[in-house]
Amino acid sequence: MPFRKPRDKGVRRTEVTTETLVASATTSPLSVEWDADHAVTELYREHYRPLVRLAALLVRDHATAEEVVQDAFVAMHGAWRRLRDPNKALSYLRQAVVNKARSVLRHRAVVEKHAPKALPDAPSAEHGAMNLLEREAVIAALRKLPTRQREAIVLRYYGDLSEAQIADAMGISRGAVKSHTSRGISSLRSVLEQTS
């Protein structure tokens, strides 16, 4: 659909020439004037979907893409009188869609940059209760162990001491520490398996 630049400074109107075929005879060209409303409506009807697809590829969101395209059409309608070459209206729309999509992406980046950081997940009350029950079960099982085994395990796993440090603290050899620790863990495992 060819557009022509209007001659008057008032409302921007575009002349379009159409021909009508009647019984294989051509009549004389008919001149029709298009204003901004009609021109934008025609462009919208023909190019809305492809422009939405373009915007959706850029902003990765269909609803936002529709808003971007609608804003571009509104802007073009408002600027129709300033449009130098109405034949380039589609090019103007594409450029407006790309620019508005860039603006949306910049806005998203700023929002994401300044978004409050999520707090780490706090354990639920059930989780805390289960931990308490497990801890109580381990303490009860430790109490059932012989004194030397209990001391060796507590110093090793709760005190985080080395075998040499445990041997020194308990006044026994490193081999005895290994033996008491191994037997204590085996006993703990069997007691805890029986309670669960």
Side-chain angles (χ1 to χ4, degrees):
M1 100 181 90
F3 292 104
R4 292 191 186 144
K5 197 170 184 179
R7 292 184 182 102
D8 61 352
K9 296 280 184 184
V11 175
R12 180 142 179 139
R13 299 192 179 277
T14 305
E15 293 183 12
V16 176
T17 305
T18 61
E19 294 183 358
T20 307
L21 294 174
V22 178
S24 59
T26 305
T27 61
S28 64
L30 178 66
S31 178
V32 179
E33 290 187 359
W34 284 18
D35 61 358
D37 292 338
H38 188 75
V40 171
T41 301
E42 287 300 314
L43 286 167
Y44 186 89
R45 185 177 304 134
E46 291 180 28
H47 301 288
Y48 175 76
R49 286 187 179 150
L51 289 171
V52 168
R53 283 192 296 268
L54 170 67
L57 289 171
L58 297 173
V59 298
R60 300 176 305 274
D61 175 20
H62 188 74
T64 305
E66 287 180 340
E67 287 180 26
V68 164
V69 172
Q70 289 171 5
D71 289 347
F73 273 102
V74 168
M76 189 184 75
H77 184 272
W80 186 257
R81 289 176 35 191
R82 295 187 312 269
L83 193 62
R84 290 187 183 127
D85 186 0
N87 289 322
K88 295 184 179 179
L90 181 58
S91 176
Y92 172 88
L93 277 172
R94 282 193 193 111
Q95 183 177 1
V97 166
V98 170
N99 288 340
K100 288 180 186 303
R102 286 180 186 154
S103 178
V104 165
L105 294 175
R106 279 192 301 270
H107 177 72
R108 277 187 194 164
V110 169
V111 167
E112 289 173 5
K113 180 179 177 182
H114 297 293
K117 302 290 183 215
L119 296 174
D121 291 337
S124 67
E126 295 151 351
H127 180 71
M130 291 302 293
N131 282 345
L132 182 61
L133 289 173
E134 290 172 1
R135 193 174 314 128
E136 288 175 359
V138 170
I139 290 171
L142 273 172
R143 287 187 180 137
K144 293 179 183 177
L145 292 177
T147 306
R148 293 280 187 175
Q149 290 177 7
R150 183 174 57 244
E151 288 173 354
I153 288 175
V154 168
L155 291 172
R156 177 70 182 116
Y157 295 103
Y158 290 98
D160 201 26
L161 299 178
S162 68
E163 288 177 354
Q165 292 170 324
I166 295 169
D168 189 40
M170 291 178 67
I172 58 175
S173 69
R174 289 178 65 184
V177 170
K178 288 181 183 180
S179 175
H180 288 307
T181 305
S182 176
R183 287 184 201 146
I185 289 178
S186 295
S187 298
L188 271 178
R189 186 175 295 126
S190 65
V191 170
L192 291 173
E193 285 175 356
Q194 290 173 1
T195 59
S196 54

